[in-house]
Amino acid sequence: MPANTINVDSAHPSAAKTDLQGLELAEHHFGPLLRPTRATKSAWTNYSINRLQTNQKYRTEDSEEDERDEYSDDAWLFNSVKACVSQIEDEMDFEDGTLQKCITILCNDTVLDDEKPRSTDHIVRIYSPTAPVYIDVHFKYYCRSCRSEVDWQYTLGYKIQRRPSATASNALAIKTELKMGGPPDVYACNGWQTLGWGCYDDYYRNYGEHGPHVEFGRVELREEGVMDVHEALFGELEKPAETDSEAMLAYHRSLVRGIRLLLAAVGISYDVACTDDESDDRPYELMLEGLSDKWVARGIRNACGLRLARDAEEERKGAMERQEAKGYDDDSEGR
């Protein structure tokens, strides 16, 4: 299996040798697709060629994955994506590999520190199992402790491509679409959308300033973006009547799961509660929130149109926690 792709058969060069076109071509190489949507023959053909050539291109140079150290820096992302996406497959009662084969790692620059990422900068592509569409997801992360200080920041964004070209992807060209700058500004152009970002205030401090950390961060998702992601991955989702509580819960779970798949594709496992009986379970190896407040889960819920009874109180406590940290910081600067 190529190190940079979850897909196996479709990455083989001989897979492109066929006279099939359109949806038949996609089904031949990547089927069974999940309730494929109606699209033109050229759209499905371009999608198929793009996916075949991209999978062929982004493999290890020596193609000897079996000799790769499973605990190496490069292996961390592959193993994390496999585990995170497999969990979502189980939740959806899909066969093992149904979603994993849709994911290709385009670039991966990860440095581990005691088996946890100290830094990573990677782009992963999710080919839709239902439509001739793909989503590129970018995640850049840095977290390092030095004495009593912690340097932490990350950005997470995505771009939906509804008209794939019949050519292999170019990871370097994709990287040039991202802006240089602070965490909130990376996805400000070229069709990219910010999912979320976080950092301690060190990023905004003047050099040499010290004091307790104040957390900055936000989930930038909006309801329209959530619907776009779900439609791209799993097709349109009809909203049920507000009076049908069971159907509404299933609707919200589906929307939340679509966003969780974006996170899973870059190796982030975050269980987002959809009822007050459930808990928000953060990722173990990656820090998405700098304090105890689980604002990422709450932000995803809110973008999906879901508010739990506890959310308002937890939001208030989180704001208080950040204000207290800022107060301590102001006190330390005044000494």
Short mmCIF file of all heavy atoms in Angstrom, two decimals, residues 19 68 114 142 157 166 174 181 188 198 207 214 230 242 250 263 300 325:
data_model
loop_
_atom_site.label_atom_id
_atom_site.label_comp_id
_atom_site.label_asym_id
_atom_site.label_seq_id
_atom_site.Cartn_x
_atom_site.Cartn_y
_atom_site.Cartn_z
N ASP A 19 -11.36 1.60 -21.44
CA ASP A 19 -12.11 2.43 -22.37
C ASP A 19 -13.37 2.99 -21.75
O ASP A 19 -14.14 3.70 -22.41
CB ASP A 19 -12.48 1.62 -23.63
CG ASP A 19 -11.24 1.24 -24.44
OD1 ASP A 19 -10.27 2.02 -24.43
OD2 ASP A 19 -11.25 0.15 -25.07
N ARG A 68 8.70 0.39 6.31
CA ARG A 68 8.62 1.67 7.01
C ARG A 68 8.39 1.45 8.50
O ARG A 68 7.64 0.58 8.90
CB ARG A 68 7.46 2.49 6.43
CG ARG A 68 7.32 3.87 7.00
CD ARG A 68 6.06 4.52 6.42
NE ARG A 68 4.87 3.75 6.76
CZ ARG A 68 3.69 3.98 6.26
NH1 ARG A 68 3.52 4.91 5.38
NH2 ARG A 68 2.65 3.24 6.62
N ASP A 114 8.27 12.40 21.41
CA ASP A 114 7.77 11.35 22.29
C ASP A 114 6.43 10.79 21.77
O ASP A 114 5.45 10.67 22.50
CB ASP A 114 7.60 11.89 23.72
CG ASP A 114 7.38 10.77 24.74
OD1 ASP A 114 7.76 9.62 24.44
OD2 ASP A 114 6.82 11.05 25.81
N TYR A 142 1.63 23.47 15.68
CA TYR A 142 2.91 23.53 16.40
C TYR A 142 2.62 23.62 17.89
O TYR A 142 1.82 24.44 18.33
CB TYR A 142 3.73 24.75 15.97
CG TYR A 142 5.10 24.82 16.60
CD1 TYR A 142 6.17 24.10 16.08
CD2 TYR A 142 5.31 25.59 17.74
CE1 TYR A 142 7.42 24.14 16.66
CE2 TYR A 142 6.56 25.65 18.33
CZ TYR A 142 7.62 24.93 17.80
OH TYR A 142 8.85 24.97 18.39
N GLY A 157 -8.15 24.35 7.69
CA GLY A 157 -9.03 24.88 6.66
C GLY A 157 -9.28 23.88 5.55
O GLY A 157 -8.62 22.84 5.46
N ALA A 166 -8.76 16.92 -15.25
CA ALA A 166 -8.32 15.56 -15.57
C ALA A 166 -6.80 15.46 -15.49
O ALA A 166 -6.13 14.97 -16.40
CB ALA A 166 -8.81 15.18 -16.96
N ILE A 174 -0.89 23.86 -4.51
CA ILE A 174 -1.93 24.06 -3.49
C ILE A 174 -1.39 24.90 -2.35
O ILE A 174 -2.06 25.80 -1.84
CB ILE A 174 -2.45 22.70 -2.98
CG1 ILE A 174 -3.16 21.96 -4.10
CG2 ILE A 174 -3.40 22.89 -1.80
CD1 ILE A 174 -3.56 20.54 -3.73
N GLY A 181 0.99 34.40 7.33
CA GLY A 181 0.50 35.34 8.32
C GLY A 181 0.00 34.63 9.55
O GLY A 181 0.27 33.44 9.77
N ALA A 188 -7.59 33.11 3.69
CA ALA A 188 -8.35 34.31 3.35
C ALA A 188 -8.62 34.47 1.86
O ALA A 188 -9.31 35.42 1.47
CB ALA A 188 -7.61 35.55 3.88
N GLY A 198 -6.34 28.27 16.49
CA GLY A 198 -6.10 28.54 17.90
C GLY A 198 -4.64 28.88 18.14
O GLY A 198 -3.76 28.45 17.39
N TYR A 207 8.39 40.71 21.26
CA TYR A 207 9.50 39.83 21.65
C TYR A 207 10.00 40.18 23.05
O TYR A 207 10.21 41.33 23.38
CB TYR A 207 10.65 39.97 20.64
CG TYR A 207 11.83 39.07 20.95
CD1 TYR A 207 11.79 37.72 20.63
CD2 TYR A 207 12.96 39.58 21.58
CE1 TYR A 207 12.85 36.90 20.91
CE2 TYR A 207 14.04 38.76 21.86
CZ TYR A 207 13.98 37.41 21.53
OH TYR A 207 15.03 36.59 21.82
N VAL A 214 -2.70 33.54 27.38
CA VAL A 214 -4.09 33.86 27.10
C VAL A 214 -4.44 33.21 25.77
O VAL A 214 -3.75 33.43 24.77
CB VAL A 214 -4.33 35.38 27.03
CG1 VAL A 214 -5.79 35.67 26.69
CG2 VAL A 214 -3.95 36.04 28.35
N HIS A 230 -21.39 18.64 3.70
CA HIS A 230 -22.18 17.42 3.70
C HIS A 230 -22.65 17.07 2.29
O HIS A 230 -22.60 15.89 1.88
CB HIS A 230 -23.40 17.55 4.62
CG HIS A 230 -24.10 16.25 4.86
ND1 HIS A 230 -24.97 15.69 3.94
CD2 HIS A 230 -24.04 15.37 5.90
CE1 HIS A 230 -25.42 14.55 4.41
NE2 HIS A 230 -24.86 14.32 5.59
N GLU A 242 -39.26 20.44 12.73
CA GLU A 242 -38.74 20.70 14.08
C GLU A 242 -39.46 19.86 15.13
O GLU A 242 -38.89 19.57 16.19
CB GLU A 242 -38.90 22.19 14.42
CG GLU A 242 -38.10 23.13 13.53
CD GLU A 242 -36.62 23.15 13.89
OE1 GLU A 242 -36.27 22.57 14.95
OE2 GLU A 242 -35.84 23.74 13.12
N ALA A 250 -31.00 12.92 14.26
CA ALA A 250 -30.27 12.22 13.20
C ALA A 250 -29.72 13.22 12.18
O ALA A 250 -28.59 13.06 11.68
CB ALA A 250 -31.20 11.21 12.51
N LEU A 263 -11.94 16.61 9.98
CA LEU A 263 -10.91 16.51 11.02
C LEU A 263 -10.21 15.15 10.96
O LEU A 263 -8.98 15.07 11.06
CB LEU A 263 -11.53 16.71 12.41
CG LEU A 263 -11.64 18.15 12.94
CD1 LEU A 263 -12.56 18.99 12.08
CD2 LEU A 263 -12.14 18.15 14.39
N ILE A 300 -18.53 23.66 16.53
CA ILE A 300 -19.01 22.76 15.48
C ILE A 300 -20.50 22.53 15.64
O ILE A 300 -21.27 22.58 14.66
CB ILE A 300 -18.24 21.42 15.52
CG1 ILE A 300 -16.78 21.65 15.10
CG2 ILE A 300 -18.90 20.39 14.62
CD1 ILE A 300 -15.90 20.42 15.25
N ALA A 325 -7.20 34.54 32.99
CA ALA A 325 -5.83 34.42 32.49
C ALA A 325 -5.31 35.76 32.00
O ALA A 325 -4.16 36.13 32.25
CB ALA A 325 -5.79 33.39 31.35
#
